[in-house]
Amino acid sequence: MGCTVIKVKPLSEQQALTLFLSKVGPNIVQNQTIMPTLKLVVKECAGLPLTIVVVAGTLKGEEDPLIWKNALRELKERIEKVEGVEAKVIERLKFSFDHLKDEKVKSCFLYCALYPEDFEIEKDKLIGCWIDEGFIDDMDTRQEKEEKGHVILKKLEENCLLENITNVLGQPCIKMHDAVREMALSIARMNPRYMIKAGLQLEELPEKEQWSPDIEKVSLMYNSISEISIDVLPTKCQLLTTLLLQNNPIKNISISFFTNMPCLSVLNLSFTKIESLPNSISELKNLTTLLLRGCYQIRDLPCLSMLQELKKLDLCGTKIEEVLEGMDMLIKLRYLDLQVGTLKEIPAGLLPKLVHLQHLSFNVVNEKTSLKAEEMEPLKKLECFIGRFEYISEFNKFISSVQKSKKNLIKYHLHMTSSIMPAARDKTVTIGGVQNWEGDLIMHPIEIQQLNIVKCHYLRNLVDDNSSLKNAIDLRIYDCKGIECVVSLSAFASSSAHPLQSLEILDLRDLPKLSALIMKDAGIGSRCSSMKTLLPHWLLPNLQNLEQIWVSECDEIVEILGPATLEVEEKRGDALIQFHLPKLRVLAFRKLPNLKSICSKSGVMICDSLKLIAVIRCDKLKRIPPFVPLAGNGQPFAYAPPSLTITSNTEWWESLEWDDHPNFKNVLRFDLIKEKDESYHSPLSISPSPAMEAAGFRAAINKDFIAQELDNDREDDQEEEGDIAMEYVEPVLGIANCLRTPVCKYLQYHRKLNDYVRNFKRITDELNCKMEDIELQLKAELRPPGKIPKGG
């Protein structure tokens, strides 16, 4: 939207008018009736860029001259009634706030001021907070509420009250400009009354006199408070509805602390060091939201049966071992997060009582919280579900139930494995350790977006009888010793849909018998050792959405892109085969001992979007394929995609053969990596990370990352453990990479540095709460060889 504003000296009259017109909309620019009043409105903005942008956003698209005249009169009256430059700026900004017609939209805006200054607030989490607060409550489903939240965000962004940004992890966020936040604080000090002391490094609660009896919301998040005493509170916080204490090192809370908060509705203690909650929490009979995410030292909680109004309970990352006493009485629960690695069981009969649940999530690594389909069947309102099934039969029953009842599952991560695999898409299925796949077929949800398969050694190919993979955009197959092809076309004989037609990411690792991606022969499971090409030419029209190809440890692969058969290539003679992949961005190859070419010798690649070719330990690969521009049929060998970088070690680059076109080497950009970089340590294997890509990393990988991978290849016994930690370490990896240059460049800006540190602390806190999951996974991976994994 372009609302990024910096503090500068006042603009000239013409500059101010130009900026205003650029924000107010083309229909207004052409309206000569409004123009005289518009120029006077601009004059009232005093040449201040932020004020100009905010006022223009408020009046954007308004064509009624009376509205413009009223706006001019209102601005003048506001400015005249206050003294001082700062006060006048705030009044101009309040003009925009007061013109928000919906009171709930105003409440949503003021809520953003509860966060620390310059804080990057993730949009999805913010909307979740709005729902918790009841600002968005006139819809039946959570999805409808989230959609309404995005509409409100868009409105506030269009009014330039919030700035739309992307954080270092690639997540969509918003920020409040300092002056806009000061305006919000000036409102929140009066009506409604908030106490906001977030991110101020406080070591104790504010003094007693600051806790006025009419306070409605208190934000003390991101401080250094270690203990909470009742001594500082007034006799009764009669109107207090929201208390935000997350990201404080709180260890103890006074026994009677919650006694004098009869109206408390939202309590956030996430990422604190609290070990137990006082029994007085049971007196919060109006509590609707209790957040204990990341409280990894808490092992038990008081009975919750008295909290009859509770709608949201987040226990992710705690150390509880048993389901809380009285949880079956919380019949109004709509959101329950039990991603707890220490939980010993899910009591039979619990879930069927929580019939209003819309969000339900369990720890997918914890085998003791495997689910049964019959327990899930009564949850008709479920929209988001994360959980695991131990047996194929239970998994299939659940899928069948979902499809028959047409449950509105908007987001699901279904697991039948103890292996941690990335779940980058809303609709993800992960299957691992299945020993009798061919004897007991696994059902796939029709709308599946991501399919992960790991350690299914008896699997020969994916068999699918109703084209449920046609919508899959992400396919990852790891460590399947027997797989020969990914899909057999005979499975799609009765369907008009092309297999993998929506595929964007293809990630294949440690598949020693892989011979083809799609096998055209009718015989399912038959070995076709003559097929050494991953993507034959005839298949490419069905893969036009493909963005990334990651291939690792597949011994049989000789060629990535090639003709259907060797005979076809011979018949074409000198005619070039064009391999057209318009969206391809990443080609990454690792440990492919027989890979000889990316593209057949008689072919050229047409993929202007290609950004990266990464090569690690592919010693037989001796040539880079020629490219032809997407527009026109120019001659190959003198052209390469503008953004393309080739990354590998020096030895490989110097070993490449350039045939009769040595000039081709000069148009390619090679990113040299060192064999070992002491400044960078990571046990990770190559893996595509959407978050890192969105954050602006060069195609999800950089030379330091690959350099360490080359070093890791010499230590094979550490690779498997590295893969396990991959999903959790990559966010911190991304921050570390992103911070390196900005921190050096902007060290003088203390506030910005604090912002980075705060974000880093938040991520590390989230990592800490999941460390036990990693430990459990390591134990599962290192179980004695003779023990057959469950699932068969």
Side-chain angles (χ1 to χ4, degrees), residues 12-293:
S12 67
E13 184 175 334
Q14 185 57 47
Q15 288 173 328
L17 179 60
T18 300
L19 177 59
F20 193 95
L21 292 177
S22 70
K23 302 296 181 183
V24 80
N27 58 325
I28 304 302
V29 175
Q30 299 170 7
N31 193 325
Q32 295 303 314
T33 304
I34 293 175
M35 196 55 63
T37 309
L38 181 149
K39 291 181 178 180
L40 294 174
V41 169
V42 175
K43 187 176 180 180
E44 293 300 324
C45 294
L48 301 174
L50 177 63
T51 303
I52 293 168
V53 169
V54 171
V55 173
T58 303
L59 296 171
K60 187 175 182 177
E62 291 286 359
E63 297 187 82
D64 188 340
L66 293 178
I67 291 178
W68 281 87
K69 290 180 180 179
N70 182 69
L72 176 61
R73 181 170 56 254
E74 185 179 340
L75 274 171
K76 286 184 175 182
E77 290 174 355
R78 286 172 176 273
I79 296 167
E80 289 172 356
K81 73 179 183 180
V82 296
E83 298 291 337
V85 175
E86 184 176 343
K88 292 182 183 294
V89 170
I90 289 176
E91 282 303 319
R92 292 183 179 104
L93 297 177
K94 277 185 180 178
F95 168 83
S96 183
F97 173 80
D98 290 338
H99 278 257
L100 296 172
K101 299 174 183 178
D102 191 326
E103 289 300 318
K104 289 186 176 179
V105 174
K106 290 183 178 180
S107 297
C108 289
F109 166 74
L110 291 178
Y111 188 92
C112 299
L114 294 171
Y115 291 86
E117 185 178 4
D118 286 332
F119 197 84
E120 297 175 348
I121 312 171
E122 293 178 29
K123 288 185 177 181
D124 289 341
K125 291 183 179 179
L126 176 60
I127 292 171
C129 292
W130 289 348
I131 295 173
D132 298 342
E133 294 284 346
F135 299 153
I136 310 173
D137 60 357
D138 51 351
M139 291 93 177
D140 293 330
T141 70
R142 188 170 184 87
Q143 183 191 23
E144 290 174 332
K145 292 178 181 180
E146 290 173 350
E147 290 172 350
K148 177 66 177 294
H150 283 287
V151 171
I152 293 173
L153 271 177
K154 185 177 181 182
K155 172 67 175 176
L156 295 173
E157 290 168 12
E158 288 178 343
N159 279 34
C160 295
L161 290 171
L162 297 178
E163 181 183 351
N164 185 23
I165 64 169
T166 300
N167 67 9
V168 294
L169 300 181
Q171 298 158 328
C173 299
I174 61 95
K175 277 181 69 173
M176 268 187 160
H177 188 280
D178 292 350
V180 174
R181 185 173 185 269
E182 188 58 42
M183 176 267 289
L185 292 176
S186 70
I187 296 172
R189 292 188 191 105
M190 305 300 293
N191 186 26
R193 189 178 290 275
Y194 295 179
M195 180 167 70
I196 303 173
K197 295 184 179 295
L200 300 180
Q201 300 303 313
L202 300 181
E203 296 183 357
E204 298 178 345
L205 292 183
E207 297 295 329
K208 188 171 184 177
E209 55 269 18
Q210 298 185 49
W211 292 79
S212 61
D214 59 348
I215 286 181
E216 295 182 29
K217 299 187 188 301
V218 172
S219 175
L220 298 171
M221 64 173 80
Y222 290 95
N223 279 301
S224 301
I225 301 170
S226 60
E227 187 172 1
I228 293 182
S229 169
I230 195 173
D231 298 337
V232 299
L233 296 183
T235 305
K236 214 166 208 182
C237 296
Q238 192 72 39
L239 302 180
L240 184 63
T241 62
T242 300
L243 180 57
L244 305 179
L245 293 165
Q246 64 263 38
N247 295 87
N248 277 283
I250 300 171
K251 293 183 179 180
N252 300 303
I253 297 180
S254 173
I255 295 176
S256 56
F257 181 73
F258 298 112
T259 302
N260 297 323
M261 303 178 184
C263 294
L264 192 64
S265 175
V266 176
L267 175 60
N268 194 337
L269 287 164
S270 298
F271 301 105
T272 59
K273 295 183 178 180
I274 190 163
E275 297 178 0
S276 62
L277 290 180
N279 289 329
S280 60
I281 197 171
S282 300
E283 300 182 25
L284 301 177
K285 297 184 179 180
N286 289 304
L287 195 68
T288 63
T289 301
L290 177 58
L291 307 178
L292 297 169
R293 172 174 288 260

Side-chain angles (χ1 to χ4, degrees), residues 18 39 67 97 129 263 267 274 284 341 381 425 428 459 500 553 595 599 601 617 655 735 766:
T18 300
K39 291 181 178 180
I67 291 178
F97 173 80
C129 292
C263 294
L267 175 60
I274 190 163
L284 301 177
K381 298 182 179 181
R425 312 294 174 174
T428 298
L459 178 66
L500 311 180
E553 298 182 77
L595 181 65
C599 173
K601 196 168 184 179
R617 294 187 67 180
S655 72
I735 291 180
E766 292 176 358

Side-chain angles (χ1 to χ4, degrees), residues 694-734:
F697 298 108
R698 193 186 67 237
I701 200 166
N702 64 22
K703 65 180 182 179
D704 292 333
F705 190 65
I706 299 179
Q708 184 62 33
E709 179 58 28
L710 285 171
D711 189 53
N712 288 346
D713 283 340
R714 299 179 179 86
E715 303 176 28
D716 291 342
D717 58 328
Q718 296 180 8
E719 288 180 354
E720 193 165 332
E721 295 180 18
D723 285 334
I724 294 167
M726 170 180 59
E727 182 180 2
Y728 303 116
V729 181
E730 276 191 344
V732 174
L733 167 70

Side-chain angles (χ1 to χ4, degrees), residues 570-589:
E570 290 174 347
K571 290 179 180 179
R572 293 185 64 94
D574 295 333
L576 292 176
I577 304 175
Q578 294 187 352
F579 294 92
H580 195 276
L581 290 168
K583 297 184 179 180
L584 189 65
R585 294 184 290 112
V586 178
L587 281 169
F589 311 121

